[in-house]
Amino acid sequence: MKGRYFAFNPGLCVLLIPLGAIAHKNGAPCARCPRNAHCTNASSCRCDPGFTSLSGKVIFSTSSEVCTDINECGPPLYMSCGSLAHCHNVEGSYYCECAPGHELLSGGTKFQSEKENTCQDVDECSSGKHQCHNTTHCINVKGSYRCYCHHDWVARSRPLHGLNFTICEEVPFPSWTSPSGVNSQSLSRFFDKVQQLSQDFKPALAKNTIQDLMQEVDELLETPGDLETLAPSEQHCVATHLLVGLEDVLRVLSKLLPKGPLTAHASAGTGLSLTVQDQGIGDVTLGQSQAKMQLKWDVAQESNDLGPSVVGLVSTPGMSKLLAEAPLVLDSKQQTVLREHRDFLAGGFPVLLSDVVSAFVSNKDTQNLSSPVTFIFSHRSVTPGPTQKVFCVFWEHSQDGCGHWSTTGCRMAATGDASTTCQCSHLSSFAVLMAHSHVQEDPMLAVITYVGLGLSLLCLLLAALTFLLCKAIQNTSTSLHLQLSICLFLAHLLFLTAIDQTKIKLLCAIIAGALHYLYLASFTWMLLDGLHLFLTARNLTVVNYTSVSRFMKRLMFPVGYGVPALIVAISAASRPSLYGTPTRCWLHTDKGFVWTFLGPVCTIFSINLAFFLMTFWIVKNKLSSLNRDVSTLQNTRMLTFKATAQLLILGCTWCLGVLQVGPAARVMAYLFTIINCLQGAFIFLVYCLLSQQVREQYGKWFRGVRKAKAEPENYTLSSGTVSDASKHSAALHSSNSSHPPRSERLLPGFTESPVPKP
């Protein structure tokens, strides 16, 4: 057995050795090598071509190694297939293929390298490889083809055998008939003419049909006839039917026009501007005599329409006759803003300022455009009055076939006397109108203003006469109060009588300038009064009151009247047109012009507040030693009262006007009106009624008047007696009170007591 075995074994080995060598040479798989790998020797493996090991080793000996596919079409290799071709990766290899619409010269589609690339365009139309419907015309383009309709036909995308095909259809004249329920001979005659145009319609003559249609619409709107006798609601329904129908007809007929622009104008002003373009890109601008529209081409193209794009603008000035009493509906955002400001309430019907224009494009879905459409309207020059507001509006169709003006989706980008720019996020019929409104004023505030200012005028007049005629109290302080009273009196009087005189623009500007000057002068005199009060209080313990008085006399008139005049002169020279507003003869808020008043006022009441606090502190510390004969309780009460009154006299309470914001605005408005309307009353109260010298002088005047009435026949003698008695009484009083406390002589507004001293 052994002998025979060994005898057979050498022969078998001879047969097996060549087979093993061939297997190693061809890289035959080994049981110990992973998938997509082969043996290189008895103990090593190597990944097949087109694969690489995860470890990155070319030769490996572990059976846990993994060979992954190499993407020859991606990084880092990026095998190049040349132009008009794409690289496709497959497991262990790759191939190149011509781009769609191209093939190799050999007729094949796949190749291995850029050197083998012979890709060229395939003419699908001539080769019959296209899928155009038999109603269309195939035109080859580079790498593809397109299906076009013959002239006078329109393209429609319709499903056919499970695929979407472009099918061409002959364009019929769109149906446009008279609205039901409207009895009008003028309207019936118009639609009879439209039906005649429909019967005579030929696609090749679409341009002539459009021009004839625009002329018929123009004649109807120019002479509406019995349409004007219809109820306003019926007129609005007719206008809606005309606007919608005209837009639909023009959208269809314009697709039959050759590419390029077209304009059509009728005798009474009705006009059309449109342009036709293949798959337009960029912006397009169309204009009429009184309006211009700007939009992007991409909003015009219908998604499933492969035909040309159309953009059109129609102007119908005569449509305003049918929309004369159309209501205006504000969007919710504008209603909220106007309600918060409480400055607009609809009153009456809006007035059209511009022509009514209608915009249409190929795409019927224009309710939410990707980019806004801009309209620039030219209209008659108008300046909105105090009860008017300008809006950009569109005609919104209602479910009952009528409609109303609406502001939803439209905003006013800019406006001037004769032009308005609007931006809208949808297409329809647009216009600019001016809505009548009225300012919602608080009647109670108006009553308080007139009553308060009337009382203030009376008190200021009495105070000015007192300061002027009462010789006993005349000094530097009295001169300051006299000038303040005069300026406030003139300012309040002009405010009450002329603030609303806005009809004559030049007169209104003069009134605004005068008010600007008088109120600035009033505040300047308040500042001088505060300065004088502080200097006097500071020098209570120093015998230099004369120097203070001399300083104030030199300073007060140049500053009191010169500084306001300089501010007003500079303001008027720089911005004369900003004096006077449409609602009030006051300063415009445009360009911050109102700060020519608010700036100085805020500065003055801030300085006066500082003067007041320092003066109050000085007087409070000195009062106990200066007025020892007055009880502490009475002293404190009178000081508090007069200090509060002085705060009002110095104008510090005008800061309440700045606080009229937020939830407390109404309360602050009442406080501001009440307190500042009574400024004149406080001047008369503090410097006249609470002054012992003035009260004594009033008593002498009243006694003289009563005595003169009791003895009219001896008027001259009585007057002399009263005069002598007054002089004698004044002499006695001067003798008895020749040495009043120093604080009474210097700070009467703070320290005088209403109770006569023993």
Side-chain angles (χ1 to χ4, degrees):
M1 290 289 292
K2 291 182 179 180
R4 285 193 299 181
Y5 172 77
F6 284 106
F8 172 75
N9 195 30
L12 182 61
C13 289
V14 170
L15 293 175
L16 292 178
I17 288 173
L19 292 175
I22 295 173
H24 281 287
K25 183 177 181 180
N26 293 335
C30 299
R32 65 179 179 274
C33 292
R35 184 173 176 271
N36 298 321
H38 57 271
C39 296
T40 57
N41 53 42
S43 60
S44 301
C45 297
R46 182 173 185 168
C47 291
D48 294 338
F51 295 88
T52 183
S53 64
L54 287 179
S55 63
K57 297 179 180 179
V58 177
I59 305 297
F60 53 88
S61 58
T62 60
S63 60
S64 60
E65 186 67 77
V66 178
C67 292
T68 59
D69 176 57
I70 298 174
N71 184 7
E72 292 84 358
C73 299
L77 298 179
Y78 288 114
M79 298 297 297
S80 175
C81 293
S83 61
L84 305 177
H86 304 296
C87 177
H88 297 275
N89 183 67
V90 293
E91 188 176 43
S93 184
Y94 74 97
Y95 68 91
C96 296
E97 187 176 39
C98 292
H102 299 81
E103 64 181 6
L104 297 172
L105 285 176
S106 61
T109 57
K110 297 182 179 180
F111 54 95
Q112 195 66 27
S113 66
E114 184 176 1
K115 295 180 180 179
E116 303 175 8
N117 186 345
T118 58
C119 294
Q120 62 179 3
D121 177 58
V122 176
D123 189 349
E124 293 88 353
C125 297
S126 60
S127 63
K129 295 181 180 180
H130 64 85
Q131 293 184 350
C132 291
H133 192 262
N134 55 13
T135 60
T136 64
H137 175 60
C138 178
I139 297 179
N140 184 68
V141 295
K142 189 173 183 179
S144 183
Y145 66 94
R146 290 186 180 178
C147 305
Y148 287 94
C149 294
H150 297 283
H151 190 60
D152 302 341
W153 292 56
V154 293
R156 296 285 186 266
S157 179
R158 292 186 178 180
L160 187 66
H161 304 300
L163 299 174
N164 284 331
F165 282 93
T166 299
I167 299 177
C168 297
E169 297 177 348
E170 189 175 7
V171 179
F173 192 93
S175 176
W176 191 16
T177 58
S178 179
S180 60
V182 178
N183 186 14
S184 169
Q185 294 183 358
S186 298
L187 198 62
S188 298
R189 286 195 297 269
F190 168 76
F191 280 104
D192 288 342
K193 295 177 181 178
V194 171
Q195 291 303 317
Q196 187 64 42
L197 288 176
S198 175
Q199 295 174 7
D200 299 338
F201 172 68
K202 294 181 180 180
L205 302 177
K207 179 178 179 180
N208 296 337
T209 303
I210 291 175
Q211 291 176 338
D212 293 341
L213 180 63
M214 296 301 297
Q215 184 61 41
E216 297 298 339
V217 173
D218 183 74
E219 292 178 0
L220 174 66
L221 297 178
E222 178 65 17
T223 55
D226 57 359
L227 286 178
E228 294 183 311
T229 64
L230 298 176
S233 59
E234 289 185 316
Q235 291 181 352
H236 303 160
C237 294
V238 171
T240 302
H241 192 76
L242 291 175
L243 290 171
V244 174
L246 182 61
E247 179 182 331
D248 291 339
V249 171
L250 291 176
R251 179 185 292 108
V252 174
L253 297 185
S254 59
K255 291 188 176 182
L256 303 175
L257 298 172
K259 299 176 182 60
L262 171 69
T263 58
H265 296 284
S267 57
T270 303
L272 166 67
S273 295
L274 63 82
T275 184
V276 183
Q277 183 174 325
D278 280 333
Q279 304 293 320
I281 57 174
D283 298 336
V284 59
T285 300
L286 295 177
Q288 285 291 309
S289 59
Q290 301 296 320
K292 185 167 67 173
M293 177 180 68
Q294 298 173 343
L295 55 76
K296 293 185 179 299
W297 270 110
D298 56 3
V299 307
Q301 183 64 38
E302 195 171 4
S303 58
N304 59 353
D305 192 348
L306 300 179
S309 300
V310 177
V311 178
L313 181 67
V314 183
S315 176
T316 51
M319 196 66 70
S320 59
K321 299 176 182 178
L322 301 178
L323 302 175
E325 297 184 4
L328 169 64
V329 178
L330 301 177
D331 63 19
S332 57
K333 183 177 180 180
Q334 287 179 317
Q335 288 177 353
T336 302
V337 171
L338 295 175
R339 193 181 302 115
E340 287 178 355
H341 288 80
R342 297 179 290 114
D343 63 351
F344 179 85
L345 290 177
F349 294 106
V351 176
L352 279 171
L353 298 181
S354 69
D355 294 344
V356 179
V357 298
S358 300
F360 65 91
V361 294
S362 305
N363 186 9
K364 292 184 179 180
D365 184 14
T366 58
Q367 293 305 306
N368 190 15
L369 301 178
S370 57
S371 58
V373 181
T374 301
F375 296 92
I376 303 175
F377 292 93
S378 298
H379 49 74
R380 65 180 185 271
S381 181
V382 61
T383 300
T387 61
Q388 296 170 326
K389 190 174 182 67
V390 176
F391 290 96
C392 292
V393 297
F394 77 100
W395 185 251
E396 185 172 17
H397 311 151
S398 56
Q399 295 180 352
D400 60 357
C402 300
H404 56 265
W405 292 116
S406 175
T407 60
T408 303
C410 291
R411 71 177 187 90
M412 185 169 60
T415 186
D417 291 342
S419 66
T420 300
T421 301
C422 305
Q423 286 188 336
C424 298
S425 59
H426 52 78
L427 293 184
S428 179
S429 298
F430 302 89
V432 174
L433 55 79
M434 185 167 61
H436 291 273
S437 60
H438 67 268
V439 178
Q440 186 183 12
E441 295 180 345
D442 191 332
M444 186 58 65
L445 274 179
V447 171
I448 292 174
T449 299
Y450 282 101
V451 173
L453 287 182
L455 177 62
S456 186
L457 285 173
L458 177 61
C459 293
L460 287 169
L461 179 61
L462 294 176
L465 292 174
T466 301
F467 298 144
L468 192 62
L469 300 177
C470 189
K471 305 295 184 180
I473 62 171
Q474 289 183 351
N475 52 31
T476 303
S477 179
T478 306
S479 298
L480 291 170
H481 301 152
L482 174 62
Q483 304 306 319
L484 173 59
S485 300
I486 293 174
C487 290
L488 277 178
F489 178 85
L490 295 176
H492 290 343
L493 182 62
L494 188 60
F495 179 89
L496 283 178
T497 58
I499 189 67
D500 294 326
Q501 303 298 319
T502 58
K503 293 183 179 180
I504 304 176
K505 195 169 183 180
L506 178 60
L507 177 61
C508 185
I510 294 173
I511 293 171
L515 284 173
H516 190 195
Y517 174 75
L518 289 173
Y519 276 116
L520 281 181
S522 300
F523 274 95
T524 307
W525 285 109
M526 293 177 202
L527 175 63
L528 293 173
D529 192 15
L531 175 62
H532 180 261
L533 192 66
F534 169 70
L535 293 177
T536 305
R538 192 190 64 174
N539 297 324
L540 279 174
T541 58
V542 183
V543 188
N544 60 351
Y545 178 72
T546 304
S547 61
V548 173
S549 178
R550 188 183 304 112
F551 171 75
M552 291 302 301
K553 285 182 179 179
R554 293 178 179 177
L555 178 70
M556 61 182 186
F557 283 102
V559 174
Y561 289 112
V563 172
L566 180 62
I567 295 175
V568 173
I570 295 175
S571 303
S574 59
R575 301 276 191 231
S577 61
L578 297 183
Y579 276 101
T581 71
T583 58
R584 295 286 187 271
C585 293
W586 186 233
L587 310 182
H588 259 290
T589 57
D590 295 348
K591 301 179 182 179
F593 187 70
V594 73
W595 281 99
T596 59
F597 174 74
L598 293 181
V601 167
C602 292
T603 303
I604 288 173
F605 75 61
S606 300
I607 296 174
N608 265 358
L609 182 61
F611 282 156
F612 168 79
L613 294 175
M614 290 187 292
T615 304
F616 183 83
W617 181 258
I618 293 172
V619 173
K620 184 68 177 66
N621 291 337
K622 299 294 182 180
L623 192 60
S624 58
S625 60
L626 294 175
N627 281 342
R628 298 180 183 276
D629 54 336
V630 181
S631 66
T632 303
L633 180 61
Q634 182 184 15
N635 180 11
T636 303
R637 288 177 178 174
M638 185 52 57
L639 178 62
T640 303
F641 172 76
K642 289 192 173 183
T644 304
Q646 193 68 37
L647 191 66
L648 271 65
I649 293 171
L650 295 179
C652 296
T653 53
W654 278 67
C655 64
L656 294 174
V658 182
L659 302 178
Q660 295 184 36
V661 293
R666 188 176 182 85
V667 176
M668 291 300 171
Y670 273 92
L671 288 176
F672 175 80
T673 304
I674 293 172
I675 294 175
N676 289 290
C677 282
L678 297 177
Q679 188 176 10
F682 278 104
I683 291 176
F684 180 66
L685 176 65
V686 172
Y687 294 117
C688 296
L689 295 184
L690 294 183
S691 171
Q692 183 176 347
Q693 290 177 300
V694 175
R695 289 200 308 272
E696 290 176 355
Q697 189 65 44
Y698 284 164
K700 294 174 185 178
W701 289 343
F702 291 148
R703 286 194 296 271
V705 171
R706 286 198 301 270
K707 194 169 183 180
K709 289 182 179 180
E711 301 177 4
E713 67 278 2
N714 298 323
Y715 177 78
T716 305
L717 180 60
S718 299
S719 299
T721 303
V722 171
S723 177
D724 293 340
S726 299
K727 292 179 181 178
H728 180 66
S729 176
L732 289 176
H733 177 74
S734 175
S735 176
N736 292 333
S737 58
S738 58
H739 301 286
R742 184 175 184 82
S743 62
E744 288 187 18
R745 289 186 282 116
L746 301 184
L747 292 169
F750 264 102
T751 60
E752 279 196 26
S753 172
V755 181
K757 294 189 292 292

